């Protein structure tokens, strides 16, 4: 199981947008240049992000893209699911037919891992990633035991 390029690039592009949108809309050409992601690939990603309500396009001179929500309202899982990325550790894609039409012996283990990954990514907000980039410090995300929500810790 792994996160594909689509999900990684979507998160990277959304972080770039969040970091650069304060004064004016951000162009895909600008993101492409800064992040080394092809313009045509960004167009595909942003079409999906727009359809899912995470970004809006601004037309005309000085146009580009803006986020539709505050940074703290957008989670990494929101971004990944918006571009139709599936994070799935099961061999069967969750269909429970991995072993001769039935769930394999470890199906529940991998399904539980999927749930934990989704829980983790749901608790990491775009604002957390922005803060780590602006502060230039490593931020570690750990799950708080009492709430099962990730806590952000800035490394010294």
């Amino acid at each position: 199981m792994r996160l594909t390029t689509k999900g990684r690039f979507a998160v990277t592009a959304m972080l770039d947008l969040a970091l650069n949108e304060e004064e004016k809309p951000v162009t895909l050409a600008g993101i492409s240049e800064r992040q080394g992601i092809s313009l045509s690939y960004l167009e595909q990603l942003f079409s999906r992000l727009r359809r899912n309500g995470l970004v809006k396009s601004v037309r005309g001179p000085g146009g580009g893209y803006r986020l539709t929500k505050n940074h703290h309202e957008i989670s990494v899982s929101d971004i990944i699911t918006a571009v139709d990325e599936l994070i799935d550790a099961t061999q069967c894609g969750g269909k429970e037919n991995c072993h001769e039409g039935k769930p394999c012996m470890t199906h529940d283990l991998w399904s539980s891992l999927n749930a934990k990954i989704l829980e983790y990514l749901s608790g990491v907000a775009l604002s957390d990633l922005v803060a780590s980039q602006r502060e230039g410090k490593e931020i570690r995300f750990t799950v708080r035991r009492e709430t099962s929500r990730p806590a952000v810790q800035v490394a010294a």
Side-chain angles (χ1 to χ4, degrees):
M1 177 213 60
R2 58 178 233 186
L3 181 61
T4 67
T5 302
K6 186 190 320 180
R8 290 180 194 276
F9 281 179
V11 173
T12 299
M14 288 287 284
L15 177 55
D16 186 289
L17 176 60
L19 287 166
N20 292 292
E21 75 163 350
E22 289 179 9
E23 297 171 19
K24 60 181 182 174
V26 177
T27 66
L28 294 184
I31 295 173
S32 175
E33 184 177 307
R34 286 187 296 275
Q35 303 305 325
I37 303 171
S38 82
L39 184 57
S40 62
Y41 200 73
L42 284 170
E43 289 168 348
Q44 293 172 31
L45 292 176
F46 273 74
S47 173
R48 291 176 179 181
L49 293 167
R50 188 173 37 77
R51 274 195 310 255
N52 283 280
L54 296 181
V55 299
K56 63 182 175 185
S57 62
V58 178
R59 296 186 180 268
Y65 283 89
R66 287 197 172 279
L67 296 173
T68 58
K69 301 176 183 179
N70 291 323
H71 300 171
H72 67 276
E73 296 176 307
I74 300 173
S75 71
V76 172
S77 68
D78 292 337
I79 298 167
I80 291 170
T81 56
V83 296
D84 299 327
E85 177 75 350
L86 296 176
I87 298 174
D88 189 2
T90 65
Q91 185 178 5
C92 62
K95 296 178 184 171
E96 298 186 0
N97 62 356
C98 22
H99 185 69
E100 298 176 3
K102 297 178 182 176
C104 64
M105 293 186 338
T106 56
H107 182 85
D108 291 339
L109 170 69
W110 305 126
S111 290
S112 295
L113 177 59
N114 291 345
K116 288 294 184 188
I117 291 170
L118 184 60
E119 176 186 353
Y120 174 76
L121 295 177
S122 293
V124 179
L126 189 56
S127 59
D128 298 325
L129 301 177
V130 167
S132 77
Q133 290 298 305
R134 287 196 174 142
E135 295 172 17
K137 297 179 180 177
E138 177 183 352
I139 291 188
R140 296 186 185 108
F141 301 97
T142 58
V143 175
R144 294 182 189 138
R145 296 279 181 224
E146 66 277 4
T147 64
S148 296
R149 292 194 44 99
V152 178
Q153 300 174 341
V154 179

